[in-house]
Amino acid sequence: NEQDYPYGDPRNPVHQMSSSSDAVQFVLDQPMAREPGEAWAYNSGASILLGGILEEATGRNVLNFAREALFAPIGMGLVRWDWMPGGHQATHGGLYLTSRDMARLGYLMLRNGTWDGQEIVSADWVARSTRTYYPVDGAHGYGYQWWLDKDGSYSAIGVGGQYIMI
């Protein structure tokens, strides 16, 4: 559980992952705490692993793939994404966007993956990604990287108070 210790504490697994020689391999080397689906806890390592899966599937780094498949088609400008050990993008955070570009991502989701009449991501993926798979508490759930509210709204929540709310 990454929230057992402050993120700067050497005992924190996110700190350890960031200090490792390869962030994806670090995650893969961790023992399973529980059986899948048995319990939920926010896990930055799982987000790093998703980035590694995307790298493996596309043969490209996450930023270059995202620029081509997502950012450029919706008119996003200069995007910066931090790196992790092993040459992986910091897919658990470290994505620097302008407020306008964050609004573009929110608008894309609000429009079920369509931008100017062009499907950027499938409406089916939007629906699946914004479904609650894990109840977090009585009022919130978690989907595919989205925080979900009982009222049907959902959010991307970044460190330091950045929000994309749909």
Side-chain angles (χ1 to χ4, degrees), residues 56-127:
E56 188 69 26
T58 65
R60 305 172 68 199
N61 74 49
V62 173
L63 179 57
N64 287 340
F65 176 76
R67 279 183 176 145
E68 181 182 312
L70 177 62
F71 300 156
I74 66 172
M76 289 175 64
L78 206 51
V79 173
R80 189 179 113 213
W81 210 332
D82 286 343
W83 293 90
M84 292 293 288
H88 308 287
Q89 235 75 55
T91 50
H92 70 307
L95 176 62
Y96 296 84
L97 304 173
T98 66
S99 297
R100 287 182 188 268
D101 287 342
M102 290 173 66
R104 288 175 181 276
L105 286 174
Y107 189 70
L108 177 69
M109 294 297 289
L110 182 65
R111 305 285 299 164
N112 293 312
T114 301
W115 188 269
D116 285 339
Q118 179 185 359
E119 182 181 83
I120 306 301
V121 295
S122 75
D124 179 60
W125 182 86
V126 171

Side-chain angles (χ1 to χ4, degrees), residues 1 30-36 38-39 43:
N1 187 343
Q30 299 310 300
M32 294 293 288
R34 294 179 185 82
E35 289 297 315
E38 191 175 282
N43 185 326

